[in-house]
């Protein structure tokens, strides 16, 4: 994975490098999961690949195994957060119109209450 760069101006790269604090809840060789600073549900965890790739589609093309790792890690986070049985939502925002604000691929894990339909 070292062939895919990290960037010094990317917030999530800086969290992965521990240059910016984050409340880490899960980590693997290829992923890092931390609490969202503006949670949209009682449980809101962000999972990022440790490599810098702009969005989910680019990650699927560049490192599909890491995309698999994100989903496996999401399942582990759901278990440890106590939302695996009640249900949770996995969400990628890709592009500005979808609400992506940090251009480093990331997967949101949301749960802890009933989640309504997406608008």
């Amino acid at each position: 994975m070292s062939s895919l760069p990290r960037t010094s101006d990317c917030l999530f790269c800086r969290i992965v490098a521990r240059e910016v604090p984050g409340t880490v809840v899960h980590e693997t060789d290829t992923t890092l999961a931390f609490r969202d600073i503006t949670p949209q549900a009682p449980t809101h965890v962000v999972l990022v690949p440790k490599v810098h790739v702009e969005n989910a589609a680019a990650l699927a093309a560049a490192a599909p195994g890491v995309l698999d790792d994100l989903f496996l890690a999401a399942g582990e986070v759901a278990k440890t957060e106590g939302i695996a049985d009640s249900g949770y939502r996995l969400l990628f925002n890709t592009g500005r119109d979808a609400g992506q604000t940090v251009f480093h691929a990331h997967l949101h894990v949301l749960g802890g209450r009933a989640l309504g339909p997406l608008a």
Side-chain angles (χ1 to χ4, degrees), residues 23-28 31-35 45-48 73 77:
T23 304
V24 174
V25 298
H26 186 77
E27 184 172 12
T28 70
T31 68
L32 185 72
F34 51 91
R35 298 207 184 282
V45 175
V46 177
L47 287 103
V48 300
V77 166

Side-chain angles (χ1 to χ4, degrees), residues 91-101 103 108:
L91 177 70
F92 278 107
N93 294 317
T94 300
R96 290 189 200 289
D97 285 353
Q100 185 177 6
T101 57
F103 290 87
H108 296 266

